[in-house]
PDB file of all heavy atoms in Angstrom:
ATOM      1  N   CYS A  21     107.695  64.345  38.849  1.00 96.00           N
ATOM      2  CA  CYS A  21     107.947  65.749  38.477  1.00 96.00           C
ATOM      3  C   CYS A  21     109.284  65.975  37.784  1.00 96.00           C
ATOM      4  O   CYS A  21     109.602  67.086  37.377  1.00 96.00           O
ATOM      5  CB  CYS A  21     107.863  66.641  39.714  1.00 96.00           C
ATOM      6  SG  CYS A  21     109.238  66.451  40.864  1.00 96.00           S
ATOM      7  N   ASP A  22     110.125  64.943  37.680  1.00 94.00           N
ATOM      8  CA  ASP A  22     111.432  64.983  37.029  1.00 94.00           C
ATOM      9  C   ASP A  22     112.461  65.803  37.804  1.00 94.00           C
ATOM     10  O   ASP A  22     113.530  66.094  37.274  1.00 94.00           O
ATOM     11  CB  ASP A  22     111.306  65.475  35.586  1.00 94.00           C
ATOM     12  CG  ASP A  22     112.394  64.910  34.704  1.00 94.00           C
ATOM     13  OD1 ASP A  22     112.783  63.744  34.880  1.00 94.00           O
ATOM     14  OD2 ASP A  22     112.892  65.653  33.839  1.00 94.00           O
ATOM     15  N   ASP A  23     112.179  66.180  39.046  1.00 96.00           N
ATOM     16  CA  ASP A  23     113.165  66.867  39.877  1.00 96.00           C
ATOM     17  C   ASP A  23     114.175  65.827  40.367  1.00 96.00           C
ATOM     18  O   ASP A  23     113.931  64.619  40.305  1.00 96.00           O
ATOM     19  CB  ASP A  23     112.488  67.546  41.061  1.00 96.00           C
ATOM     20  CG  ASP A  23     113.341  68.608  41.711  1.00 96.00           C
ATOM     21  OD1 ASP A  23     113.964  69.389  40.966  1.00 96.00           O
ATOM     22  OD2 ASP A  23     113.399  68.648  42.948  1.00 96.00           O
ATOM     23  N   VAL A  24     115.313  66.265  40.849  1.00 94.00           N
ATOM     24  CA  VAL A  24     116.360  65.343  41.324  1.00 94.00           C
ATOM     25  C   VAL A  24     115.978  64.795  42.698  1.00 94.00           C
ATOM     26  O   VAL A  24     115.606  65.538  43.600  1.00 94.00           O
ATOM     27  CB  VAL A  24     117.718  66.059  41.384  1.00 94.00           C
ATOM     28  CG1 VAL A  24     118.779  65.132  41.957  1.00 94.00           C
ATOM     29  CG2 VAL A  24     118.136  66.528  40.001  1.00 94.00           C
ATOM     30  N   ALA A  25     116.061  63.474  42.831  1.00 95.00           N
ATOM     31  CA  ALA A  25     115.850  62.785  44.093  1.00 95.00           C
ATOM     32  C   ALA A  25     117.084  61.929  44.352  1.00 95.00           C
ATOM     33  O   ALA A  25     117.894  61.700  43.456  1.00 95.00           O
ATOM     34  CB  ALA A  25     114.595  61.927  44.034  1.00 95.00           C
ATOM     35  N   THR A  26     117.224  61.429  45.575  1.00 94.00           N
ATOM     36  CA  THR A  26     118.375  60.606  45.932  1.00 94.00           C
ATOM     37  C   THR A  26     117.896  59.239  46.382  1.00 94.00           C
ATOM     38  O   THR A  26     116.994  59.123  47.209  1.00 94.00           O
ATOM     39  CB  THR A  26     119.184  61.259  47.062  1.00 94.00           C
ATOM     40  OG1 THR A  26     119.592  62.550  46.632  1.00 94.00           O
ATOM     41  CG2 THR A  26     120.410  60.436  47.406  1.00 94.00           C
ATOM     42  N   ALA A  27     118.510  58.189  45.817  1.00 95.00           N
ATOM     43  CA  ALA A  27     118.221  56.809  46.225  1.00 95.00           C
ATOM     44  C   ALA A  27     119.447  56.283  46.972  1.00 95.00           C
ATOM     45  O   ALA A  27     120.570  56.499  46.533  1.00 95.00           O
ATOM     46  CB  ALA A  27     117.932  55.952  45.006  1.00 95.00           C
ATOM     47  N   ILE A  28     119.237  55.614  48.090  1.00 96.00           N
ATOM     48  CA  ILE A  28     120.320  55.029  48.861  1.00 96.00           C
ATOM     49  C   ILE A  28     120.458  53.573  48.400  1.00 96.00           C
ATOM     50  O   ILE A  28     119.567  52.738  48.633  1.00 96.00           O
ATOM     51  CB  ILE A  28     120.033  55.089  50.374  1.00 96.00           C
ATOM     52  CG1 ILE A  28     119.734  56.534  50.806  1.00 96.00           C
ATOM     53  CG2 ILE A  28     121.188  54.493  51.164  1.00 96.00           C
ATOM     54  CD1 ILE A  28     120.851  57.513  50.538  1.00 96.00           C
ATOM     55  N   VAL A  29     121.582  53.289  47.732  1.00 95.00           N
ATOM     56  CA  VAL A  29     121.826  51.972  47.142  1.00 95.00           C
ATOM     57  C   VAL A  29     123.221  51.479  47.564  1.00 95.00           C
ATOM     58  O   VAL A  29     124.035  52.271  48.034  1.00 95.00           O
ATOM     59  CB  VAL A  29     121.721  52.038  45.601  1.00 95.00           C
ATOM     60  CG1 VAL A  29     120.325  52.390  45.167  1.00 95.00           C
ATOM     61  CG2 VAL A  29     122.734  53.000  45.017  1.00 95.00           C
ATOM     62  N   PRO A  30     123.526  50.189  47.366  1.00 93.00           N
ATOM     63  CA  PRO A  30     124.882  49.709  47.641  1.00 93.00           C
ATOM     64  C   PRO A  30     125.903  50.471  46.799  1.00 93.00           C
ATOM     65  O   PRO A  30     125.639  50.869  45.672  1.00 93.00           O
ATOM     66  CB  PRO A  30     124.835  48.241  47.244  1.00 93.00           C
ATOM     67  CG  PRO A  30     123.409  47.861  47.361  1.00 93.00           C
ATOM     68  CD  PRO A  30     122.636  49.088  46.975  1.00 93.00           C
ATOM     69  N   GLN A  31     127.092  50.667  47.368  1.00 91.00           N
ATOM     70  CA  GLN A  31     128.115  51.470  46.706  1.00 91.00           C
ATOM     71  C   GLN A  31     128.525  50.904  45.354  1.00 91.00           C
ATOM     72  O   GLN A  31     128.708  51.645  44.405  1.00 91.00           O
ATOM     73  CB  GLN A  31     129.332  51.579  47.625  1.00 91.00           C
ATOM     74  CG  GLN A  31     130.298  52.642  47.221  1.00 91.00           C
ATOM     75  CD  GLN A  31     131.345  52.877  48.278  1.00 91.00           C
ATOM     76  OE1 GLN A  31     131.664  51.975  49.053  1.00 91.00           O
ATOM     77  NE2 GLN A  31     131.871  54.077  48.322  1.00 91.00           N
ATOM     78  N   ALA A  32     128.658  49.609  45.230  1.00 88.00           N
ATOM     79  CA  ALA A  32     129.080  48.995  43.973  1.00 88.00           C
ATOM     80  C   ALA A  32     127.855  48.609  43.136  1.00 88.00           C
ATOM     81  O   ALA A  32     127.649  47.449  42.797  1.00 88.00           O
ATOM     82  CB  ALA A  32     129.950  47.784  44.240  1.00 88.00           C
ATOM     83  N   SER A  33     127.033  49.589  42.796  1.00 93.00           N
ATOM     84  CA  SER A  33     125.833  49.315  42.006  1.00 93.00           C
ATOM     85  C   SER A  33     125.582  50.447  41.051  1.00 93.00           C
ATOM     86  O   SER A  33     126.150  51.525  41.170  1.00 93.00           O
ATOM     87  CB  SER A  33     124.615  49.129  42.916  1.00 93.00           C
ATOM     88  OG  SER A  33     124.297  50.319  43.574  1.00 93.00           O
ATOM     89  N   LYS A  34     124.712  50.177  40.085  1.00 94.00           N
ATOM     90  CA  LYS A  34     124.269  51.225  39.157  1.00 94.00           C
ATOM     91  C   LYS A  34     122.759  51.153  39.053  1.00 94.00           C
ATOM     92  O   LYS A  34     122.145  50.107  39.234  1.00 94.00           O
ATOM     93  CB  LYS A  34     124.934  51.063  37.790  1.00 94.00           C
ATOM     94  CG  LYS A  34     124.554  49.803  37.052  1.00 94.00           C
ATOM     95  CD  LYS A  34     125.236  49.727  35.703  1.00 94.00           C
ATOM     96  CE  LYS A  34     124.839  48.446  34.986  1.00 94.00           C
ATOM     97  NZ  LYS A  34     125.410  48.361  33.669  1.00 94.00           N
ATOM     98  N   ILE A  35     122.168  52.297  38.767  1.00 95.00           N
ATOM     99  CA  ILE A  35     120.714  52.399  38.626  1.00 95.00           C
ATOM    100  C   ILE A  35     120.321  51.847  37.267  1.00 95.00           C
ATOM    101  O   ILE A  35     120.953  52.159  36.251  1.00 95.00           O
ATOM    102  CB  ILE A  35     120.253  53.864  38.755  1.00 95.00           C
ATOM    103  CG1 ILE A  35     120.709  54.472  40.093  1.00 95.00           C
ATOM    104  CG2 ILE A  35     118.751  53.995  38.565  1.00 95.00           C
ATOM    105  CD1 ILE A  35     120.122  53.851  41.321  1.00 95.00           C
ATOM    106  N   VAL A  36     119.280  51.007  37.228  1.00 95.00           N
ATOM    107  CA  VAL A  36     118.762  50.471  35.981  1.00 95.00           C
ATOM    108  C   VAL A  36     117.279  50.804  35.892  1.00 95.00           C
ATOM    109  O   VAL A  36     116.609  51.019  36.900  1.00 95.00           O
ATOM    110  CB  VAL A  36     118.990  48.933  35.853  1.00 95.00           C
ATOM    111  CG1 VAL A  36     120.468  48.612  35.773  1.00 95.00           C
ATOM    112  CG2 VAL A  36     118.350  48.180  37.010  1.00 95.00           C
ATOM    113  N   THR A  37     116.753  50.844  34.689  1.00 92.00           N
ATOM    114  CA  THR A  37     115.349  51.238  34.511  1.00 92.00           C
ATOM    115  C   THR A  37     114.383  50.053  34.511  1.00 92.00           C
ATOM    116  O   THR A  37     113.215  50.228  34.835  1.00 92.00           O
ATOM    117  CB  THR A  37     115.170  52.018  33.193  1.00 92.00           C
ATOM    118  OG1 THR A  37     115.634  51.223  32.116  1.00 92.00           O
ATOM    119  CG2 THR A  37     115.945  53.320  33.235  1.00 92.00           C
ATOM    120  N   GLN A  38     114.855  48.875  34.172  1.00 92.00           N
ATOM    121  CA  GLN A  38     113.987  47.718  34.069  1.00 92.00           C
ATOM    122  C   GLN A  38     114.152  46.793  35.282  1.00 92.00           C
ATOM    123  O   GLN A  38     115.270  46.476  35.672  1.00 92.00           O
ATOM    124  CB  GLN A  38     114.304  46.909  32.807  1.00 92.00           C
ATOM    125  CG  GLN A  38     114.110  47.692  31.515  1.00 92.00           C
ATOM    126  CD  GLN A  38     112.660  48.062  31.304  1.00 92.00           C
ATOM    127  OE1 GLN A  38     111.748  47.292  31.589  1.00 92.00           O
ATOM    128  NE2 GLN A  38     112.430  49.252  30.790  1.00 92.00           N
ATOM    129  N   GLU A  39     113.039  46.358  35.843  1.00 93.00           N
ATOM    130  CA  GLU A  39     113.072  45.453  36.987  1.00 93.00           C
ATOM    131  C   GLU A  39     113.768  44.138  36.627  1.00 93.00           C
ATOM    132  O   GLU A  39     114.449  43.539  37.461  1.00 93.00           O
ATOM    133  CB  GLU A  39     111.656  45.197  37.499  1.00 93.00           C
ATOM    134  CG  GLU A  39     111.604  44.339  38.734  1.00 93.00           C
ATOM    135  CD  GLU A  39     110.205  44.148  39.285  1.00 93.00           C
ATOM    136  OE1 GLU A  39     109.233  44.541  38.624  1.00 93.00           O
ATOM    137  OE2 GLU A  39     110.095  43.606  40.377  1.00 93.00           O
ATOM    138  N   GLU A  40     113.616  43.676  35.398  1.00 93.00           N
ATOM    139  CA  GLU A  40     114.206  42.415  34.965  1.00 93.00           C
ATOM    140  C   GLU A  40     115.736  42.443  35.019  1.00 93.00           C
ATOM    141  O   GLU A  40     116.379  41.426  35.148  1.00 93.00           O
ATOM    142  CB  GLU A  40     113.768  42.063  33.533  1.00 93.00           C
ATOM    143  CG  GLU A  40     112.290  41.824  33.373  1.00 93.00           C
ATOM    144  CD  GLU A  40     111.489  43.133  33.258  1.00 93.00           C
ATOM    145  OE1 GLU A  40     112.005  44.130  32.725  1.00 93.00           O
ATOM    146  OE2 GLU A  40     110.339  43.152  33.724  1.00 93.00           O
ATOM    147  N   ASP A  41     116.339  43.631  34.880  1.00 91.00           N
ATOM    148  CA  ASP A  41     117.788  43.787  34.899  1.00 91.00           C
ATOM    149  C   ASP A  41     118.337  44.019  36.309  1.00 91.00           C
ATOM    150  O   ASP A  41     119.552  44.118  36.482  1.00 91.00           O
ATOM    151  CB  ASP A  41     118.215  44.969  34.021  1.00 91.00           C
ATOM    152  CG  ASP A  41     117.814  44.795  32.572  1.00 91.00           C
ATOM    153  OD1 ASP A  41     117.755  43.636  32.105  1.00 91.00           O
ATOM    154  OD2 ASP A  41     117.556  45.812  31.904  1.00 91.00           O
ATOM    155  N   ALA A  42     117.479  44.105  37.290  1.00 95.00           N
ATOM    156  CA  ALA A  42     117.874  44.535  38.639  1.00 95.00           C
ATOM    157  C   ALA A  42     118.230  43.370  39.552  1.00 95.00           C
ATOM    158  O   ALA A  42     117.698  42.269  39.423  1.00 95.00           O
ATOM    159  CB  ALA A  42     116.746  45.345  39.260  1.00 95.00           C
TER     160      ALA A  42
END
Side-chain angles (χ1 to χ4, degrees):
C21 72
D22 208 38
D23 198 43
V24 176
T26 302
I28 306 300
V29 296
Q31 194 170 27
S33 66
K34 64 180 180 177
I35 303 295
V36 295
T37 57
Q38 299 295 322
E39 184 177 9
E40 296 81 31
D41 299 330

